[in-house]
Amino acid sequence: MRRLHHWLAAGIIWGVLLLTGFGQSLPDWLAKNGVPKPPDFGVRDESGFFNRNTGAIKRISDPLRKLEAEHGFKIYLMVEPVLIATNANELAAQLQQYWVPEGDGLVVVFETDNRSLGFGRDVDGPPDENAAAGSVPTHETATILMRAREATDPNLSPEAYIESLMMNLADGFNNYFEKRAAPIPATRALRLGALVVGALALLALGAIIIGALIRLPSMAARKTYRFPIVDRPERLGAPCGGGNVTVRKFGPGSGT
């Protein structure tokens, strides 16, 4: 009965998409299997992947629901045994458009057959003033994903690995929102003020040094002085001669 309800729901969604003209643009996997609705508790595990790990779904979903309730950011995990005509990355990106159209969330797809992970996230850039409150800039999301994967031991069993990864993701986004909401510490504001004052002082000192260098004689432009042209007749071989000329004789017979 549950499977029948699932197929009926998928058929209804598929029919609505066809009537609205979007059926032709659906990717192959979604066209074949229908567009599933976002999981109510953050985890979609139709194959029973976590059945052997008692309580894993609850341990994963609790921090995910808390993250959404406190910060408006949604994280969905979809577990599939085998993906045909698509892969984890493509399916995550496709589900991101249907499950988190406002960009205020993240879709994680895990293919258990080959332990392949896919992340769907908003790649339009940092949120603008009209974006949802839970939106996260692209570079921050990439950093959180990288740190979460580095903090997860790859040698764990598949069930434990996914549980640890989702917990690290929830912690990473929660820390980001808490830091974003926290006021700037007073010490940080003082450091910023001191940095601005220091930069202005350096600029003023540089201007003073440049002005002093310009005023140095070696740096100043050399001046050329020329004798003025004087309109006087030549006298005694001097082109500009003039004035009184006296002759003095010395020696024997000079009469001096």
Side-chain angles (χ1 to χ4, degrees), residues 58-73:
K58 185 178 186 304
R59 290 193 298 270
I60 295 173
S61 63
D62 283 349
L64 299 187
R65 287 188 291 174
K66 181 181 178 182
L67 179 66
E68 181 179 1
E70 293 182 353
H71 305 293
F73 191 84

Side-chain angles (χ1 to χ4, degrees), residues 232-242:
R232 288 178 178 271
E234 181 176 337
R235 186 177 181 186
L236 299 178
C240 297

Side-chain angles (χ1 to χ4, degrees), residues 1-39:
M1 181 63 68
R2 180 181 178 184
R3 183 176 295 274
L4 177 61
H5 288 167
H6 171 72
W7 284 109
L8 285 175
I12 292 172
I13 295 174
W14 175 240
V16 171
L17 291 171
L18 283 175
L19 290 175
T20 55
F22 293 100
Q24 298 297 328
S25 63
L26 276 177
D28 292 340
W29 191 92
L30 297 180
K32 179 180 178 181
N33 299 276
V35 181
K37 70 174 184 176

Side-chain angles (χ1 to χ4, degrees), residues 222-233:
R222 293 181 179 274
K223 293 183 179 181
T224 302
Y225 298 93
R226 298 181 182 275
F227 290 107
I229 298 175
V230 179
D231 188 14
R232 288 178 178 271

Side-chain angles (χ1 to χ4, degrees), residues 101-163:
E102 300 296 328
D104 52 345
L106 175 75
V107 176
V108 182
V109 173
F110 180 65
E111 186 179 2
T112 62
D113 181 59
N114 56 11
R115 297 187 64 170
S116 177
L117 270 171
F119 299 94
R121 58 182 187 270
D122 180 30
V123 294
D124 292 335
D128 55 26
E129 58 182 5
N130 298 321
S135 298
V136 179
T138 303
H139 67 280
E140 293 287 356
T141 300
T143 300
I144 294 171
L145 290 177
M146 179 187 68
R147 291 177 178 173
R149 298 193 71 166
E150 291 177 348
T152 306
D153 185 1
N155 297 318
L156 295 173
S157 64
E159 299 90 343
Y161 176 83
I162 291 300
E163 179 180 346

Side-chain angles (χ1 to χ4, degrees), residues 147-188:
R147 291 177 178 173
R149 298 193 71 166
E150 291 177 348
T152 306
D153 185 1
N155 297 318
L156 295 173
S157 64
E159 299 90 343
Y161 176 83
I162 291 300
E163 179 180 346
S164 177
L165 176 66
M166 298 305 294
M167 302 287 278
N168 290 331
L169 283 176
D171 290 341
F173 282 104
N174 186 66
N175 292 336
Y176 164 76
F177 284 110
E178 288 182 350
K179 289 180 180 179
R180 191 171 77 174
I184 299 178
T187 54
R188 182 181 176 187

